[in-house]
């Protein structure tokens, strides 16, 4: 089944999406010289543009940007067995077949029979044709729900997929140009269970493998057979911070603006925001409220959604002021990840999965993906299912991870990024693995193998392999890799030896036993707010 949709239009002038590098001949020569062989790419991408999570500042704004997104969302919800007419209640979760006795559940999320969540619930009931099915008098077929991926977000991710095709298919030939069978032999796709992320992944895959007539394949059994998409229950998810670790989440509990305002520049942001005639009184109430994570991000998120959809900001709010609100949000949400403890407790599990996927690709015969896929579940009609042995994918040449700002931002910090700006929609953080048999290694094989490596790896890395980390149109330089002998002799500090990259992440990756001890016991009285 296909749905006719026009190709993604050019990037609009008001776009707040992440910048993509122009794949000019000079860029390709400098970034991918002929002495380097690209072995694997792992791409972490933030979802596309969405409506705000709340509208305390923009309650009079009409968010009619979901004409296509609503149709695709209804198809998505049907595909996973979750579509329901407006007058019917949501199904009761019954996850017995997965052994989950008490799945996390709340009224504001739609929970599958398997226990997975897709939020918010009302996205599944937006398309009734009868007048009585409309949730509000001003509702139209293009009206978005809060937090929903919009048509602009769909277009952005389709362009992102087209960019990846131009790079990894047309120029570098990392993956095949077409699909003769299931892509699981060379492609691994995984997303968090947020529907905006899964739909962003759908759009990216449409851009990566467009149909000949420009139509969109429906999100159905046929599409999921060609492109197996994995997700996880919250208890196993690593594509966000480890919020099951008490000594990690305690850094985000009870965030107070007065604590952040001990820094003069954040105090400036607070005062300037409170003084705005357009929204200062409401903004002050938000900033003064004790929050989980950040006191400034609810304001920034709502205003950024405006400008990301071409809507005007309040007349007394300068763009630099909006950027400073984003920096204050970054300080509160990402600041704890500047510490080794924050990196280790919050994102060591994800770094371990990246490393395992990377090192497995260096084998002469990589085989199927290893234990880093434990907990993966396949999206399928009617819900999710644990993959059979023959459905476990091969070690991928291209891995795509649909995630969030609070996935890519901490990973970027770990890889040496010092930019304080909030990461835009469709941000891509890419780990590229290369082999070079033509250039002499910077250090002897023995000295390279003596470098520290994560405790989860049994053997040292093979020689002549290198890692580069790209953030949108920039290249990051992990600090460990800047030392003599720890980067490619010709490419410089922007390309780590694999051994140096493993040394860089080694202190961050813990064994399961170490992580359990360091996280501490979750207080019985503590429950995170839904």
């Amino acid at each position: 089944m296909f749905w006719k949709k026009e190709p993604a239009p050019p990037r609009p002038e008001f776009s707040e999406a992440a910048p993509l590098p122009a794949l000019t001949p000079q860029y390709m020569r400098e970034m991918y010289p002929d002495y380097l062989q690209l072995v694997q790419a792992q791409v972490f991408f933030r979802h596309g543009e969405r409506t705000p999570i709340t509208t305390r500042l923009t309650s009079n704004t009409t968010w009619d940007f979901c004409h296509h997104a609503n149709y695709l969302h209804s198809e998505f919800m049907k595909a996973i067995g979750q579509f329901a007419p407006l007058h019917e209640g949501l199904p009761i979760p019954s996850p017995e077949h997965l052994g989950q006795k008490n799945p996390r559940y709340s009224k504001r999320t739609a929970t599958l029979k398997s226990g997975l969540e897709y939020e918010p619930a009302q996205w599944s009931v937006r398309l009734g044709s009868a007048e009585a099915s409309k949730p509000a008098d001003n509702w139209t077929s293009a009206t978005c729900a809060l937090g929903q991926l919009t048509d602009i977000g769909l277009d952005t991710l389709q362009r992102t997929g087209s960019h990846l095709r131009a790079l990894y298919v047309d120029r570098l030939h990392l993956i095949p140009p077409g699909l003769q069978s299931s892509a699981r032999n060379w492609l691994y796709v995984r997303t968090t269970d947020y529907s905006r992320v899964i739909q962003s992944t759908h759009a990216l895959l449409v851009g990566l493998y467009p149909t000949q007539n420009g139509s969109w394949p429906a999100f159905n059994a046929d599409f999921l057979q060609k492109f197996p998409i994995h997700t996880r229950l919250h208890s196993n998810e690593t594509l966000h911070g480890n919020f099951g670790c008490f000594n990690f989440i305690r850094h985000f509990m009870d965030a107070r603006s007065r604590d952040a305002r001990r820094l003069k520049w954040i105090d400036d942001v607070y005062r300037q925001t409170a003084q705005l005639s357009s929204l200062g009184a409401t903004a002050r109430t938000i900033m003064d409220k004790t929050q989980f994570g950040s006191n400034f991000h609810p304001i920034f998120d709502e205003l950024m959604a405006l400008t990301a959809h071409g809507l005007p900001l309040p007349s007394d709010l300068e763009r630099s002021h909006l950027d400073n609100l984003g920096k204050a949000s970054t300080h509160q949400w990402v600041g704890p990840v500047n510490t080794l403890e924050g990196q280790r407790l919050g994102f060591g599990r994800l770094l371990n999965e990246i490393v395992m996927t990377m090192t497995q690709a260096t084998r002469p015969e990589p085989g199927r993906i290893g234990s880093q896929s434990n907990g993966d579940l396949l999206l399928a009609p009617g819900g999710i299912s644990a993959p059979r042995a023959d459905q476990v994918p091969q070690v991928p040449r291209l891995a795509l991870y649909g995630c969030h700002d609070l996935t890519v931002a901490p990973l970027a910090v770990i890889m040496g990024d010092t930019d304080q700006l909030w990461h835009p929609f469709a941000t891509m953080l890419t780990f590229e693995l290369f082999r070079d048999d033509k250039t002499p290694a910077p250090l002897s094989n023995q000295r390279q193998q003596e470098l520290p490596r994560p405790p989860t790896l049994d053997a040292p890395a093979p020689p002549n392999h290198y890692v580069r980390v790209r953030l949108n149109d920039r290249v990051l330089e992990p600090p460990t890799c800047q030392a003599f002998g720890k980067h490619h002799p010709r490419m410089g500090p922007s390309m780590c030896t694999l051994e140096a990259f493993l040394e860089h992440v080694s202190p961050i990756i813990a064994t399961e036993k170490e992580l359990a001890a360091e996280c501490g016991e979750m207080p019985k009285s503590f429950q995170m707010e839904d």
Side-chain angles (χ1 to χ4, degrees), residues 29-47:
R29 286 193 302 270
E30 292 176 353
M31 296 290 286
Y32 302 95
D34 56 10
Y35 52 82
L36 292 176
Q37 175 193 352
L38 181 61
V39 176
Q40 182 189 72
Q42 298 186 64
V43 182
F44 293 78
F45 61 94
R46 187 189 175 194
H47 57 76

Side-chain angles (χ1 to χ4, degrees), residues 39-61:
V39 176
Q40 182 189 72
Q42 298 186 64
V43 182
F44 293 78
F45 61 94
R46 187 189 175 194
H47 57 76
E49 289 91 331
R50 57 159 172 76
T51 54
I53 302 299
T54 61
T55 54
R56 284 169 284 191
L57 303 170
T58 59
S59 58
N60 295 325
T61 300

Side-chain angles (χ1 to χ4, degrees), residues 308-370:
H309 291 86
L311 299 174
L313 293 170
S315 58
D316 57 346
L317 180 73
E318 298 286 348
R319 177 54 196 249
S320 59
H321 190 159
L322 178 61
D323 290 339
N324 285 334
L325 284 166
K327 291 178 181 179
S329 303
T330 300
H331 172 78
Q332 287 187 302
W333 263 121
V334 186
V337 187
N338 283 293
T339 68
L340 179 57
E341 180 193 45
Q343 295 177 8
R344 184 174 169 93
L345 300 185
F347 292 90
R349 301 178 305 164
L350 179 55
L351 262 296
N352 183 55
E353 293 174 356
I354 294 171
V355 162
M356 293 184 71
T357 302
M358 187 181 293
T359 54
Q360 288 166 9
T362 65
R363 300 170 182 169
E365 296 183 4
R368 294 189 186 273
I369 200 167

Side-chain angles (χ1 to χ4, degrees), residues 139-434:
W139 182 88
T140 73
S141 62
T143 302
C144 309
L146 296 180
Q148 184 179 356
L149 184 74
T150 64
D151 291 351
I152 292 173
L154 284 170
D155 290 339
T156 293
L157 265 295
Q158 187 180 2
R159 285 193 296 270
T160 301
S162 298
H163 174 84
L164 292 177
R165 180 177 180 84
L167 178 61
Y168 292 128
V169 176
D170 300 339
R171 288 166 174 79
L172 297 176
H173 312 294
L174 177 67
I175 56 177
L179 290 176
Q180 274 64 48
S181 61
S182 173
R184 65 166 52 93
N185 292 330
W186 41 266
L187 178 69
Y188 174 70
V189 184
R190 185 176 138 211
T191 84
T192 63
D193 67 352
Y194 285 64
S195 54
R196 61 176 171 264
V197 182
I198 298 174
Q199 286 191 270
S200 293
T201 303
H202 180 198
L204 185 146
L205 290 170
V206 170
L208 183 63
Y209 282 99
T211 59
Q212 292 183 348
N213 62 1
S215 60
W216 276 50
F219 193 96
N220 56 18
D222 182 62
F223 182 83
L224 292 172
Q225 178 66 28
K226 291 181 179 178
F227 298 103
I229 297 178
H230 303 81
T231 190
R232 295 185 183 179
L233 298 176
H234 282 266
S235 57
N236 296 323
E237 187 57 83
T238 59
L239 284 176
H240 48 59
N242 185 3
F243 290 107
C245 174
F246 178 70
N247 283 333
F248 176 68
I249 65 171
R250 64 181 175 84
H251 294 290
F252 305 97
M253 294 164 56
D254 299 332
R256 296 177 175 86
S257 59
R258 68 171 181 266
D259 296 329
R261 288 170 61 194
R262 288 180 293 184
L263 295 177
K264 176 63 166 62
W265 70 269
I266 290 185
D267 183 64
D268 290 341
V269 175
Y270 175 91
R271 287 185 292 100
Q272 291 163 10
T273 304
Q275 291 169 6
L276 293 172
S277 58
S278 59
L279 49 84
T282 304
R284 181 190 288 272
T285 300
I286 296 171
M287 292 186 294
D288 286 345
K289 181 182 177 182
T290 300
Q291 308 267 8
F292 183 87
S294 171
N295 311 91
F296 299 93
H297 189 256
I299 301 170
F300 172 76
D301 179 81
E302 193 170 345
L303 296 175
M304 179 54 69
L306 284 176
T307 187
H309 291 86
L311 299 174
L313 293 170
S315 58
D316 57 346
L317 180 73
E318 298 286 348
R319 177 54 196 249
S320 59
H321 190 159
L322 178 61
D323 290 339
N324 285 334
L325 284 166
K327 291 178 181 179
S329 303
T330 300
H331 172 78
Q332 287 187 302
W333 263 121
V334 186
V337 187
N338 283 293
T339 68
L340 179 57
E341 180 193 45
Q343 295 177 8
R344 184 174 169 93
L345 300 185
F347 292 90
R349 301 178 305 164
L350 179 55
L351 262 296
N352 183 55
E353 293 174 356
I354 294 171
V355 162
M356 293 184 71
T357 302
M358 187 181 293
T359 54
Q360 288 166 9
T362 65
R363 300 170 182 169
E365 296 183 4
R368 294 189 186 273
I369 200 167
S371 60
Q372 69 269 33
S373 66
N374 289 349
D376 278 5
L377 300 168
L378 282 170
L379 285 175
I384 57 173
S385 61
R388 302 187 309 266
D390 64 326
Q391 292 177 317
V392 176
Q394 299 289 314
V395 173
R397 280 174 266 166
L398 177 64
L400 301 173
Y401 303 90
C403 54
H404 306 264
D405 39 19
L406 291 177
T407 312
V408 292
L411 286 178
V413 167
I414 292 170
M415 293 300 136
D417 186 33
T418 58
D419 194 340
Q420 291 183 315
L421 291 175
W422 195 262
H423 289 273
F425 296 109
T427 286
M428 283 196 295
L429 184 73
T430 304
F431 296 83
E432 294 179 319
L433 174 67
F434 296 89

Side-chain angles (χ1 to χ4, degrees), residues 100-122:
Q100 300 292 321
K101 296 181 180 179
N102 294 298
R104 185 168 172 258
Y105 181 74
S106 72
K107 291 183 179 179
R108 70 180 181 86
T109 59
T111 304
L112 289 178
K113 287 176 269 198
S114 56
L116 274 185
E117 297 177 12
Y118 299 88
E119 60 178 18
Q122 295 305 310

Side-chain angles (χ1 to χ4, degrees), residues 119-136:
E119 60 178 18
Q122 295 305 310
W123 295 358
S124 63
V125 297
R126 282 286 186 177
L127 297 178
S129 57
E131 190 71 19
S133 70
K134 297 180 181 180

